[in-house]
Amino acid sequence: MGSTELPDALAGVLTGIQRLLRRRLRRGLTGPRLRGAQVELLRLVSTNPGIGVSAAAKELYLAGNSVSTLVNQLTTAGLLRRETSDDDRRSARLLPTPEAEARLRAWEERRAALVREQVERLSEEDRAALTAALPALRRLAEGLHEEVGTA
């Protein structure tokens, strides 16, 4: 594979996998459908309860006003809570609601089961190839993360 073919093929496969996972997982979902940025913010708040809007914006590489809009949407939907920070009364701490935690947990469990089922269908050789590729894929993700952080 040539120097331009591998990056294009890899990007296409990864995008396709992500799209297919989302489509399969959307079936049977209860509650309003969330956009990608909303889910990213919910995941971030779930793993960092009490994070502020500006810290969330920095972590997600979004403008503060964009995150504020997402916070308003998710608060209205009953998925986020805003609390006044003890340190600075002007800033808010973001916390997931129990409904948000349940939705994220159900999504993660369904995603893990779907991927596990598909991986189990692969041949032993294909599973070994995927296992061997994981360190390189992690390094690729780290490089992308670092590059976004400096942009």
Side-chain angles (χ1 to χ4, degrees):
M1 208 173 267
S3 62
T4 58
E5 294 169 340
L6 176 60
D8 289 346
L10 182 60
V13 167
L14 293 175
T15 301
I17 289 171
Q18 187 64 26
R19 185 181 325 110
L20 290 167
L21 278 171
R22 277 194 311 267
R23 284 183 184 161
R24 290 278 308 270
L25 292 171
R26 283 182 189 142
R27 295 183 200 153
L29 277 182
T30 58
R33 190 165 138 192
L34 300 176
R35 293 189 344 257
Q38 291 171 321
V39 173
E40 284 184 45
L41 178 59
L42 276 181
R43 282 188 181 136
L44 178 64
V45 171
S46 180
T47 57
N48 300 282
I51 192 170
V53 172
S54 61
K58 184 177 180 183
E59 185 69 26
L60 296 172
Y61 305 102
L62 294 172
N65 62 341
S66 296
V67 173
S68 291
T69 299
L70 294 170
V71 168
N72 289 337
Q73 293 166 349
L74 293 168
T75 300
T76 300
L79 298 172
L80 271 187
R81 280 189 4 250
R82 256 188 296 231
E83 288 185 357
T84 304
S85 173
D86 294 333
D87 301 338
D88 182 354
R89 306 297 291 168
R90 295 169 297 166
S91 64
R93 298 176 43 214
L94 303 175
L95 300 162
T97 65
E99 181 185 346
E101 293 284 7
R103 281 185 74 164
L104 287 172
R105 193 170 35 257
W107 178 272
E108 295 295 332
E109 288 169 0
R110 291 177 63 220
R111 183 179 69 174
L114 177 59
V115 172
R116 185 173 38 257
E117 174 187 314
Q118 294 303 313
V119 168
E120 287 171 357
R121 290 180 176 183
L122 296 174
S123 69
E124 189 64 39
E125 294 79 23
D126 283 346
R127 287 195 299 273
L130 287 174
T131 300
L134 286 175
L137 290 169
R138 284 189 187 105
R139 286 189 295 276
L140 176 63
E142 288 168 6
L144 289 168
H145 183 73
E146 289 170 8
E147 196 169 292
V148 169
T150 61

